[in-house]
Amino acid sequence: MHQLTNSCFVLQEEFYGKPVITATRETVELESDDILRDADKVDVAFLVVGDPLGATTHTDLILRAHAKGIQTETIHNASIMTALGSTGLQLYNFGQSISIPFYTDSWKPGSWYDRLEENLKFGMHTLVLLDIKVREQSEENFIKGKLIYEPPRFMNPATAIEQILYTENERHPPLKPAKAADAPASPASSQASTPEPLDYPTYLPPAKTLAMTLSRIGTATQRIVSGTLAELSEMSEEDFGGPLHSIVIVGKRIHPLELEFAGRFCVNGEQGNWWKVAKEVYGVERETFDY
Amino acid sequence: MHQLTNSCFVLQEEFYGKPVITATRETVELESDDILRDADKVDVAFLVVGDPLGATTHTDLILRAHAKGIQTETIHNASIMTALGSTGLQLYNFGQSISIPFYTDSWKPGSWYDRLEENLKFGMHTLVLLDIKVREQSEENFIKGKLIYEPPRFMNPATAIEQILYTENERHPPLKPAKAADAPASPASSQASTPEPLDYPTYLPPAKTLAMTLSRIGTATQRIVSGTLAELSEMSEEDFGGPLHSIVIVGKRIHPLELEFAGRFCVNGEQGNWWKVAKEVYGVERETFDY
């Protein structure tokens, strides 16, 4: 939602025969008076991608309109929040949504990780929205005061998953893997074929999760890929299709039918690992559905 | 969503010049083969209220179609999950959604309450969907095998709030109120004018919360009412407007701007108690916004 409504794609210059003026993020956030000018006399429509009230910016616009005595009417719309259903996961099992920003060498904010952990603790699914950089200036142009913008950047699931695993590693440095690596290879450990015990009655570390990537959802070229987060981290950017992207981290409170539907999007249709993790980590067995 | 998609309102018998056949819940859940018949040869559209993939029933229909080699295309739509933005609360702060069924004398299932508590523990908002009874038979007609259906029943927020407070009372019998009532009235206790200490660094009992009722959201007659759950419990059914209804329980992780917008729906515009509870229970002070 955030990623949809805050981007500024305006493909048409006319809409139902009326002229369309592109409103950039700056226009909406800093120059909303321009949008509201004369709106007490004539109808002004503010068009967005997704649902108009998913982003704070737009509630702000309504408050400003009402302060000027301008009446408003909101027409709701589909958004990533509902299109999520395409994954086969149940909307009511989703917890709070998170947004992952592009990390830089010196800036790696991880507050979104706390929200993810909270969701996972209670077995909720998590929608992860990926950063979008639109109308960003280069540092050089910014310093020179030149209003030249870099090409738009849309975070790819590959980057997002890398950042998720990076932040998990920062927060929870690998205890068990380190132990296993330090330990001398013994016959006992190398032939350990029994499934890993269910260490996670409630909490599930993100690296252990099943996940899904969603690209161009609701369009003719939509692409959904499901797998373990580890499997998905092996994929290349191109494997996910075009932007906009988002990711879903699957929570433990999941019904076999949700897994059945979601598993159909596994890379190459290979569901072996999907159901292995479902059983060993999520504690959910595959059921036979009568179709 | 659940309440929208599972109801069977079909107001038109024609849609873009094509005939419309009403699909009842039984049709969709038990006779889906009828819907899919010939869908490999001609286009069949399955129309719903809300987003088509909010309810498990419809993912099931897709799986059945694919098992028959029938291609499907999903057109997403607005739903209560996005229309929630009308409250002024941020969509990404919502936790899992819950559904409250009509209680009877002998049947008062409270599993939804666990989900509500989980959300509240981490400060998330909660969408509460209210039960709908459509095409229900009376016990007498059911026993006699008569397919006579009772008039539809839509749970009113008044009933839902009563059930929330009932279940909270069952789960957490009043400790502190009992103590206060048992204690002899002392000058010290009666003149206690200091705000109640913040007992709830993370957890917030539902009875202490701010809440909002949503009725006919997205329509011309929509009605939103905000207040403490206790205040809302004093209102009559008529005060909430017509169905469909849902409720939002406000979590602690809330921004002053969310409270500002949401507070505009307080009964009679009386925001005194709203901001009192915001400060004393939620720990959020009112800010001055420059409009």
Side-chain angles (χ1 to χ4, degrees):
Chain A
M1 165 79 69
H2 181 73
Q3 42 174 209
L4 289 171
T5 48
N6 279 351
S7 57
C8 55
F9 299 107
V10 173
L11 303 174
Q12 297 159 291
E13 297 191 338
E14 237 184 43
F15 190 69
Y16 286 99
K18 304 280 180 190
V20 170
I21 300 162
T22 304
T24 64
R25 188 175 178 143
E26 293 88 338
T27 315
V28 180
E29 294 187 352
L30 306 174
E31 299 154 12
S32 56
D33 284 351
D34 290 348
I35 297 173
L36 297 174
R37 182 169 304 136
D38 299 329
D40 53 337
K41 303 183 199 79
V42 295
D43 286 343
V44 173
F46 178 70
L47 309 174
V48 301
V49 180
D51 192 273
L53 292 181
T56 334
T57 315
H58 306 148
T59 28
D60 182 85
L61 192 61
I62 289 180
L63 285 174
R64 287 179 186 278
H66 292 185
K68 291 173 189 286
I70 298 166
Q71 290 196 330
T72 61
E73 184 188 352
T74 303
I75 299 170
H76 293 286
N77 190 15
S79 91
I80 182 69
M81 293 286 186
T82 52
L84 269 183
S86 285
T87 56
L89 302 177
Q90 290 307 298
L91 297 190
Y92 53 76
N93 283 337
F94 276 80
Q96 54 205 329
S97 307
I98 60 178
S99 298
I100 301 190
F102 276 114
Y103 281 4
T104 66
D105 286 344
S106 57
W107 193 70
K108 298 182 173 64
S111 60
W112 53 268
Y113 189 87
D114 300 328
R115 306 287 92 76
L116 174 59
E117 283 198 336
E118 289 166 358
N119 286 346
L120 288 170
K121 270 180 189 149
F122 287 132
M124 305 175 197
H125 309 320
T126 304
L127 168 64
V128 185
L129 300 171
L130 310 190
D131 202 1
I132 291 175
K133 295 280 187 203
V134 184
R135 290 169 60 88
E136 295 279 322
Q137 291 167 273
S138 69
E139 206 172 320
E140 190 186 339
N141 285 326
F142 180 77
I143 291 169
K144 290 184 180 166
K146 286 189 183 172
L147 286 180
I148 297 172
Y149 301 107
E150 300 300 299
R153 285 202 300 154
F154 306 99
M155 187 185 283
N156 187 281
T159 307
I161 292 169
E162 194 184 304
Q163 292 189 184
I164 292 172
L165 297 176
Y166 171 88
T167 304
E168 173 165 297
N169 195 55
E170 289 286 300
R171 298 293 187 91
H172 306 290
L175 287 178
K176 285 182 194 170
K179 243 189 268 170
D182 293 341
S186 71
S189 71
S190 62
Q191 71 184 29
S193 65
T194 48
E196 191 178 11
L198 280 176
D199 278 329
Y200 319 106
T202 54
Y203 177 59
L204 187 65
K208 290 280 181 188
T209 60
L210 298 173
M212 307 180 74
T213 64
L214 288 67
S215 305
R216 294 181 173 276
I217 282 296
T219 73
T221 54
Q222 84 172 27
R223 176 120 212 248
I224 301 178
V225 184
S226 53
T228 64
L229 203 67
E231 280 175 327
L232 295 174
S233 75
E234 301 291 320
M235 294 175 64
S236 72
E237 295 205 347
E238 292 68 34
D239 293 333
F240 297 110
L244 302 177
H245 308 281
S246 51
I247 293 178
V248 167
I249 310 274
V250 178
K252 285 199 73 168
R253 197 178 291 144
I254 189 163
H255 188 272
L257 187 59
E258 289 180 86
L259 281 169
E260 187 71 31
F261 196 103
R264 300 180 319 142
F265 303 109
C266 282
V267 195
N268 304 325
E270 186 43 70
Q271 297 194 21
N273 202 40
W274 178 261
W275 287 104
K276 182 170 178 286
V277 171
K279 183 178 175 183
E280 295 175 6
V281 180
Y282 285 67
V284 180
E285 294 259 14
R286 189 168 193 175
E287 289 181 9
T288 308
F289 292 98
D290 173 31
Y291 291 126
Chain B
M1 166 79 68
H2 181 73
Q3 43 174 208
L4 289 171
T5 48
N6 280 351
S7 57
C8 55
F9 298 106
V10 174
L11 303 173
Q12 297 160 291
E13 296 191 338
E14 234 184 45
F15 190 69
Y16 286 99
K18 303 280 180 190
V20 170
I21 301 162
T22 303
T24 63
R25 189 176 178 143
E26 292 88 337
T27 315
V28 180
E29 292 186 353
L30 306 173
E31 299 155 13
S32 56
D33 283 351
D34 289 350
I35 298 173
L36 297 173
R37 182 167 304 135
D38 298 330
D40 52 339
K41 301 183 202 80
V42 295
D43 285 343
V44 173
F46 178 70
L47 308 175
V48 300
V49 179
D51 192 273
L53 292 181
T56 334
T57 315
H58 306 149
T59 29
D60 181 85
L61 192 61
I62 289 180
L63 285 174
R64 287 180 186 277
H66 291 185
K68 291 174 190 286
I70 298 165
Q71 290 196 329
T72 62
E73 185 188 350
T74 303
I75 298 170
H76 293 287
N77 189 15
S79 92
I80 182 68
M81 294 286 187
T82 52
L84 268 184
S86 285
T87 57
L89 303 178
Q90 291 306 297
L91 297 190
Y92 53 75
N93 283 337
F94 276 79
Q96 55 205 329
S97 307
I98 60 178
S99 298
I100 301 190
F102 276 114
Y103 281 4
T104 66
D105 286 345
S106 57
W107 192 70
K108 297 182 174 64
S111 59
W112 54 268
Y113 189 88
D114 300 329
R115 305 288 92 76
L116 174 59
E117 283 199 334
E118 289 166 356
N119 286 345
L120 287 171
K121 270 180 190 149
F122 287 132
M124 306 175 197
H125 308 320
T126 304
L127 168 64
V128 185
L129 300 171
L130 310 190
D131 202 1
I132 290 175
K133 296 279 187 204
V134 184
R135 290 169 61 87
E136 295 279 320
Q137 291 166 274
S138 68
E139 206 172 320
E140 189 184 341
N141 284 327
F142 179 77
I143 291 168
K144 289 183 181 166
K146 287 187 183 172
L147 286 180
I148 299 172
Y149 300 108
E150 300 300 300
R153 284 202 299 154
F154 306 99
M155 187 186 284
N156 187 282
T159 308
I161 292 169
E162 194 184 305
Q163 292 189 185
I164 291 172
L165 296 176
Y166 171 89
T167 304
E168 172 164 297
N169 195 55
E170 289 286 301
R171 298 293 186 91
H172 306 289
L175 286 178
K176 284 183 193 169
K179 243 190 265 172
D182 293 342
S186 71
S189 71
S190 63
Q191 71 185 30
S193 65
T194 49
E196 191 177 13
L198 281 176
D199 278 329
Y200 318 106
T202 54
Y203 177 60
L204 187 65
K208 290 278 181 189
T209 60
L210 298 173
M212 307 180 74
T213 63
L214 288 67
S215 304
R216 294 181 174 276
I217 283 296
T219 73
T221 54
Q222 84 172 26
R223 176 120 212 248
I224 301 177
V225 185
S226 53
T228 64
L229 203 67
E231 280 174 327
L232 296 174
S233 75
E234 300 292 319
M235 295 175 64
S236 72
E237 295 204 347
E238 292 68 33
D239 293 333
F240 298 109
L244 302 176
H245 308 281
S246 52
I247 293 177
V248 166
I249 309 274
V250 178
K252 284 199 74 170
R253 197 177 293 143
I254 188 162
H255 188 272
L257 187 60
E258 290 180 85
L259 281 170
E260 187 71 33
F261 196 103
R264 300 181 319 141
F265 304 110
C266 282
V267 195
N268 304 323
E270 185 43 70
Q271 297 194 21
N273 202 42
W274 177 262
W275 287 104
K276 183 170 177 284
V277 171
K279 184 179 175 182
E280 294 175 7
V281 180
Y282 285 68
V284 180
E285 294 259 12
R286 189 168 193 175
E287 289 181 9
T288 308
F289 293 98
D290 172 32
Y291 292 126

